[in-house]
Amino acid sequence: CIADVGSCVLSSGINAEYGGRTHSLNYGLLIATYRDGESGTVCDDGFTTTNAIAICQEMGFEDSEYASWESDGSFMEEQSSLPIVMDDLSCSGYDFASCSFSREHNCGHSEDVVINCNPEVTFSLVDWEGRTHSLNYGLLIATYRDGESGTVCDDGFTTTNAIAICQEMGFEDSEYASWESDGSFMEEQSSLPIVMDDLSCSGYDFASCSFSREHNCGHSEDVVINCNPEVTFSLVDWEGRTHSLNYGLLIATYRDGESGTVCDDGFTTTNAIAICREMGFEDLEEAS
C-alpha cells in the first residue's frame, strides 16, 4: 500500500495473531506503518466499509468488495502494546488514493479497527418472521459470497463455535454466548435451505473454523444463537462446587458479575425446562 500523503508514504498491513505476528490469512488487527517508521493501530472514527474495501484492495486481496470490519478490542493484548497512529480515515472510493486521514487521534484501543478482507461467509440473526434481528438472539443465517444463504446445522456445534460467530458479527461480551437447536423458528426455518454443517472452531477467532457446505440434517437441527445473554445459569452441590451432574442448587450469574440463588416465587416446571435447555441438558421433559 503506497500512497503519497504530504511528506510520508503509508503502508497498511494486517497484524492478525494475538502474539503480534503478521497473519497469512485475511482477518486481523489493522496496522498502519509510515515511511518515517512510526507504526500502530487505526482508530475507527469515521471508518466505513468503503474504507475497509479500499485498504483490502491496496493490500492485494481479491473479492474485497465483501470486506467487513469491527472494533471490539478483541486483540487487546497486542493492541495495548502499540500506539494509535491514524484517525479520521475517509475514502471517497475503493482506491486508496481517494483516502485522507489524520495522524492525530482522540481514541482508545477499544476503537482499533479489525478487518476481514475476504470473508467466504458472513452471518446474521433473524427473528420468527425472517427479519434481520436487531437484538442478540435469533436463528443463525450463513450467507456465502456466491449468494447462497440459509440455516446452519448443529452437527458438531459447540459453545466455542457460538462465541467465534458472535465475535465475527461484532457482539461484545460474546464469551457468554449460548446456543440451541430446538426448531423454535420452524416457520422461518422450513422456508430456507440448510447451507452449513460440521462447523468446528478451535478458538474464538472465526479464522480458526472449518465447515462443510454439504449436510445430512433436518431443520430441527438448525442453530439458534444468543450472542450476549443477560444472565447465565449453573448448578452447584452442597459444598458450592459447580455440579457436574444434572441436579443441584440453581445459581444465576449476570453480565455485571452479580451471582446468587433464584427464588421460587412463580417458578414452574416450564421455567425449569427452559433453564435446563439454556444449560444444554437433553431429555428436558423430565426436568423438575
Side-chain angles (χ1 to χ4, degrees), residues 132-267:
T132 300
H133 212 298
S134 61
L135 300 180
N136 51 19
Y137 170 79
L139 177 66
L140 182 62
I141 301 297
T143 302
Y144 295 99
R145 279 199 305 255
D146 61 12
E148 185 180 27
S149 183
T151 62
V152 177
C153 180
D154 69 356
D155 289 350
F157 206 88
T158 66
T159 299
T160 297
N161 297 1
I163 293 172
I165 288 173
C166 290
Q167 286 194 349
E168 183 74 3
M169 288 190 289
F171 287 99
E172 298 180 358
D173 299 325
S174 55
E175 66 270 21
Y176 300 104
S178 62
W179 67 279
E180 60 189 359
S181 50
D182 61 357
S184 55
F185 289 76
M186 190 54 75
E187 184 175 349
E188 174 61 20
Q189 291 169 241
S190 60
S191 69
L192 296 168
I194 301 170
V195 299
M196 181 178 290
D197 194 12
D198 299 320
L199 179 64
S200 177
C201 303
S202 60
Y204 297 150
D205 182 340
F206 192 73
S208 74
C209 304
S210 62
F211 56 86
S212 171
R213 293 182 69 163
E214 303 295 324
H215 74 88
N216 58 351
C217 308
H219 279 301
S220 63
E221 300 170 84
D222 289 341
V223 172
V224 172
I225 284 185
N226 189 340
C227 277
N228 190 4
E230 180 181 359
V231 62
T232 57
F233 296 97
S234 59
L235 300 177
V236 299
D237 64 16
W238 292 270
E239 297 182 3
R241 298 170 299 191
T242 300
H243 213 298
S244 61
L245 300 179
N246 54 14
Y247 170 81
L249 177 65
L250 181 62
I251 300 297
T253 302
Y254 294 98
R255 280 199 305 257
D256 62 11
E258 184 180 20
S259 183
T261 61
V262 178
C263 180
D264 69 354
D265 287 353
F267 205 88

Side-chain angles (χ1 to χ4, degrees), residues 269-280:
T269 300
T270 298
N271 297 2
I273 292 172
I275 289 172
C276 288
R277 176 178 288 125
E278 185 71 8
M279 289 190 289

Side-chain angles (χ1 to χ4, degrees), residues 16-176:
E17 293 279 355
Y18 292 94
R21 296 165 294 187
T22 300
H23 208 297
S24 61
L25 299 180
N26 52 16
Y27 169 80
L29 177 65
L30 181 63
I31 300 299
T33 302
Y34 294 97
R35 194 167 55 193
D36 61 13
E38 185 179 27
S39 182
T41 62
V42 177
C43 179
D44 69 356
D45 289 351
F47 207 88
T48 66
T49 300
T50 298
N51 297 0
I53 293 172
I55 288 172
C56 289
Q57 285 194 350
E58 193 67 19
M59 289 190 287
F61 287 99
E62 298 179 359
D63 298 325
S64 55
E65 66 269 23
Y66 299 101
S68 62
W69 68 280
E70 60 190 2
S71 51
D72 62 357
S74 55
F75 291 79
M76 190 55 74
E77 184 176 349
E78 173 63 16
Q79 291 169 244
S80 60
S81 68
L82 296 167
I84 301 170
V85 300
M86 183 179 289
D87 195 12
D88 300 320
L89 179 63
S90 177
C91 303
S92 60
Y94 297 150
D95 184 338
F96 194 76
S98 74
C99 305
S100 62
F101 58 87
S102 172
R103 292 182 69 163
E104 302 296 323
H105 74 87
N106 58 349
C107 308
H109 278 301
S110 62
E111 300 171 84
D112 289 342
V113 172
V114 172
I115 286 185
N116 189 340
C117 276
N118 191 4
E120 179 180 357
V121 61
T122 57
F123 296 97
S124 59
L125 300 177
V126 300
D127 65 15
W128 290 270
E129 297 182 1
R131 298 170 299 191
T132 300
H133 212 298
S134 61
L135 300 180
N136 51 19
Y137 170 79
L139 177 66
L140 182 62
I141 301 297
T143 302
Y144 295 99
R145 279 199 305 255
D146 61 12
E148 185 180 27
S149 183
T151 62
V152 177
C153 180
D154 69 356
D155 289 350
F157 206 88
T158 66
T159 299
T160 297
N161 297 1
I163 293 172
I165 288 173
C166 290
Q167 286 194 349
E168 183 74 3
M169 288 190 289
F171 287 99
E172 298 180 358
D173 299 325
S174 55
E175 66 270 21
Y176 300 104

